[in-house]
């Protein structure tokens, strides 16, 4: 067993979050000209090529398609395809930092959903963290204060979708990762290829470069996440996923001149603090049962 290298894993995770925020920024640029479904189709098409090549190297494509959970794999992939549409649509309409401030509540939603779906036990402190996270989200959304933008509901629905997707992944944790990856790519590419005849804007050279960058950066980001997971345990890496919010703020400010207002900063801080507290409680609970 290779030894853990937490410092390298953390560095890779932070770099992956920076790349992911950059991917969202480029995606936002692309959606100013091209339909969201077109952006997602080309992203999944490139992802499918990557997944097929990986499966071919890890036992063969036919072998990696074998699974005892075909329906669950397909359903999980459909959930992800819809969640990605909601998220990309949100970043096409809203500031990157605002979208990520709301989306940061998804780990807490996953904690809440794990109770009825996975029958996991959640103690009162983690329920308090979930409640505080939703309060932080409400601060960002600001319903009833006069500056409420109904579009902020879209990233919240996407956060629920992502949390549900994570729950489904837990149910498939015994499946080889190459199998899960392959089904994700095939279903996503199939779903968004169906939209091409109805929503296709012929790209020019700049457009192809922009759309190609979305697919390429997505693949690189996924590779960085895999490398980070090889270097350090998930419990070490998870808190650093919140650096995505910092990178999204930076990209939004540099690329689009959009900086979050004080309400968004306060709400995002509450959400992140709640998430970190929930992670800490989880680690403490796990340590007691070693």
């Amino acid at each position: 067993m290779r030894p853990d290298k937490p410092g390298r894993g953390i560095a890779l995770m932070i770099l992956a979050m920076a790349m992911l925020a950059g991917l969202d920024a480029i995606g936002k640029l692309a959606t100013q000209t091209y339909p969201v479904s077109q952006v997602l189709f080309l992203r999944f098409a490139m992802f499918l090529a990557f997944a097929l090549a990986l499966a071919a190297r890890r036992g063969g494509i036919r072998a990696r398609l074998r699974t005892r959970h075909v329906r669950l794999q397909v359903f999980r992939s459909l959930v992800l395809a819809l969640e990605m549409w909601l998220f990309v649509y949100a970043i096409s309409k809203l500031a990157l930092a605002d979208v990520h401030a709301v989306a940061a509540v998804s780990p807490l939603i996953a904690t809440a959903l794990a109770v009825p779906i996975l029958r996991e036990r959640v103690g009162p402190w983690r329920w308090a963290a979930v409640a505080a996270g939703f309060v932080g989200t409400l601060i960002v959304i600001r319903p009833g204060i006069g500056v409420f933008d109904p579009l902020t509901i879209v990233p919240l629905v996407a956060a629920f979708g992502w949390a549900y997707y994570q729950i489904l992944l837990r149910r498939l944790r015994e499946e080889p990762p190459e199998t899960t990856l392959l089904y994700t790519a095939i279903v996503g590419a199939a779903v968004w290829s169906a939209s091409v005849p109805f929503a296709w804007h012929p790209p020019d050279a700049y457009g192809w470069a922009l759309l190609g960058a979305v697919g390429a950066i997505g693949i690189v980001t996924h590779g960085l996440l895999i490398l980070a997971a090889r270097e350090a345990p998930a419990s070490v890496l998870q808190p650093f996923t919140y650096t995505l919010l910092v990178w999204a703020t930076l990209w939004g400010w540099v690329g689009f001149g959009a900086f979050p207002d004080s309400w968004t900063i306060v709400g995002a801080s509450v959400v992140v603090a709640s998430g970190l507290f929930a992670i800490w409680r989880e680690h403490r609970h796990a340590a007691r049962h070693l």
Side-chain angles (χ1 to χ4, degrees):
M1 180 179 295
R2 65 197 308 272
D4 288 338
K5 298 180 180 179
R8 183 178 297 180
I10 290 169
L12 287 167
M13 177 59 72
I14 293 173
L15 179 58
M17 292 302 100
M19 295 285 287
L20 187 57
L23 172 63
D24 291 339
I26 296 174
K28 185 177 180 67
L29 280 175
T31 55
Q32 292 177 356
T33 304
Y34 304 99
V36 172
S37 57
Q38 182 176 347
V39 174
L40 287 174
F41 164 66
L42 291 171
R43 180 173 173 179
F44 269 105
M46 295 183 67
F47 184 46
L48 177 58
F50 169 76
L52 288 171
L54 184 64
R57 291 186 59 188
R58 304 282 180 85
I61 295 172
R62 183 175 297 180
R64 291 308 175 188
L65 284 172
R66 295 194 190 101
T67 174
R68 295 177 298 171
H69 308 285
V70 174
R71 292 182 180 179
L72 187 56
Q73 284 282 15
V74 172
F75 178 68
R76 172 199 59 79
S77 301
L78 287 172
V79 169
L80 179 62
L82 176 59
E83 182 277 330
M84 287 184 68
W85 186 91
L86 289 168
F87 187 81
V88 175
Y89 179 78
I91 65 174
S92 73
K93 302 294 184 182
L94 301 168
L96 290 177
D98 292 354
V99 173
H100 282 284
V102 176
V105 78
S106 61
L108 298 172
I109 298 174
T111 298
L113 291 179
V115 175
I117 298 176
L118 299 178
R119 306 298 181 187
E120 292 184 2
R121 296 185 62 184
V122 175
W125 285 108
R126 281 199 287 163
W127 276 121
V130 170
F134 277 107
V135 169
T137 303
L138 290 175
I139 293 173
V140 177
I141 295 176
R142 302 190 286 278
I145 301 181
V147 292
F148 169 62
D149 186 345
L151 282 173
T152 54
I153 298 299
V154 177
L156 182 58
V157 176
F160 270 92
W162 179 251
Y164 185 42
Y165 171 77
Q166 296 299 317
I167 294 295
L168 295 175
L169 272 182
R170 290 188 205 177
R171 293 181 61 183
L172 290 166
R173 58 183 176 271
E174 301 301 325
E175 292 273 276
E178 294 85 3
T179 297
T180 299
L181 192 72
L182 192 55
Y183 274 91
T184 300
I186 291 173
V187 173
V191 167
W192 297 118
S193 65
S195 69
V196 169
F198 308 100
W200 180 265
H201 184 87
D204 55 15
Y206 172 74
W208 279 118
L210 201 62
L211 294 168
V214 170
I217 294 174
I219 292 171
V220 171
T221 301
H222 187 82
L224 288 172
L225 290 172
I226 292 174
L227 290 174
R230 289 181 61 193
E231 299 294 343
S235 58
V236 173
L237 299 176
Q238 193 175 7
F240 294 92
T241 61
Y242 285 106
T243 61
L244 175 59
L245 185 53
V246 177
W247 290 112
T249 301
L250 180 62
W251 280 109
W253 177 49
V254 172
F256 304 96
F259 195 81
D261 60 19
S262 57
W263 284 100
T264 300
I265 293 173
V266 170
S269 300
V270 172
V271 172
V272 171
S274 302
L276 292 175
F277 178 77
I279 293 170
W280 175 74
R281 289 295 302 183
E282 179 66 24
H283 290 175
R284 187 175 180 181
H285 176 76
R288 287 177 176 176
H289 290 79
L290 287 177

